[in-house]
Amino acid sequence: MKTATDALHVTVVVGSNRHGRFGPVVAGWLLDRVRARDGLTVDVVDVADLDLPTTMEPTGRATAALADVTPKLDRADAFVVLTPEYNHSFPAGLKNLIDWHFGEWRAKPVALVTYGGLAGGLRAAEHLRQVFAELHAVTVRDTVSFHNAGAAFDDEGRLKDPVGPDTAAKTMLDQLVWWATALREARRRRPYGS
């Protein structure tokens, strides 16, 4: 029988900080899917809530901004990164959050949920795969992508047709849980890089 300590810690990263962003709508749907899974404990990091400087200088401002977020990334067994696509890539605020951390991502899986216009954020996902590979993180193969995201949700933030996205989310989360379990066990037996 599993105990609370067996729960996988998943940190959901909301990667948009643009004024008037659509991210909270997609994040609400995503968090419902993640929280509905047994055996997962969820933290949320929203880049819109962070005041991280871009200088990478460990100032008092940076220390204060990292005080809440770094522990959430560090204790995570896995991540789900939600990002829009801006100009064929992902937002600068998300890149800044990623770059302020290194060891927190290592030997952990990352699932990607994207949204945007016609491309649905898929180009942002491909760029994130390269970044996370450099950080020694493993991105899961399947993603959830919302093409023309604004038209996919009603005024209350509910999907108009949830079948496809819900099915894609289940597949993605199944993969994330498998990788998170396998990598957590591997890190416990032998720390990564040793």
Side-chain angles (χ1 to χ4, degrees):
M1 185 168 135
K2 291 190 175 195
T3 66
T5 58
D6 292 326
L8 292 169
H9 292 270
V10 176
T11 297
V12 173
V13 178
V14 181
S16 172
N17 59 354
R18 181 177 278 186
H19 175 73
R21 66 195 178 135
F22 192 70
V25 174
V26 183
W29 170 85
L30 172 61
L31 286 166
D32 287 346
R33 307 282 87 59
V34 176
R35 289 177 175 142
R37 299 279 302 224
D38 288 335
L40 300 183
T41 302
V42 182
D43 280 323
V44 178
V45 171
D46 188 336
V47 298
D49 296 335
L50 303 178
D51 184 28
L52 277 175
T54 57
T55 60
M56 301 297 158
E57 182 183 358
T59 62
R61 175 180 158 211
T63 301
L66 294 168
D68 182 54
V69 68
T70 299
K72 290 179 181 179
L73 298 178
D74 189 49
R75 75 174 154 254
D77 295 304
F79 304 95
V80 181
V81 175
L82 168 65
T83 185
E85 181 177 314
Y86 295 167
N87 302 318
H88 285 222
S89 194
F90 57 95
L94 176 56
K95 183 68 162 78
N96 194 36
L97 169 69
I98 292 168
D99 287 348
W100 269 100
H101 298 89
F102 182 74
E104 292 81 4
W105 308 109
R106 288 174 63 93
K108 297 178 184 178
V110 180
L112 302 171
V113 177
T114 64
Y115 62 96
L118 186 60
L122 293 175
R123 293 173 288 217
E126 291 309 309
H127 289 177
L128 279 168
R129 289 184 193 283
Q130 295 172 28
V131 171
F132 282 118
E134 181 64 22
L135 294 169
H136 298 252
V138 177
T139 55
V140 301
R141 184 203 178 276
D142 287 83
T143 63
V144 179
S145 178
F146 291 98
H147 304 267
N148 298 314
F153 291 84
D154 66 19
D155 292 339
E156 273 74 54
R158 292 183 304 254
L159 277 171
K160 294 176 183 175
D161 183 6
V163 175
D166 286 352
T167 300
K170 181 188 180 315
T171 299
M172 178 194 73
L173 290 172
D174 286 347
Q175 292 173 10
L176 186 71
V177 166
W178 188 93
W179 278 104
T181 302
L183 290 173
R184 180 172 71 178
E185 291 171 3
R187 287 191 313 273
R188 285 178 178 168
R189 277 184 303 218
R190 182 176 170 202
Y192 184 75
S194 63

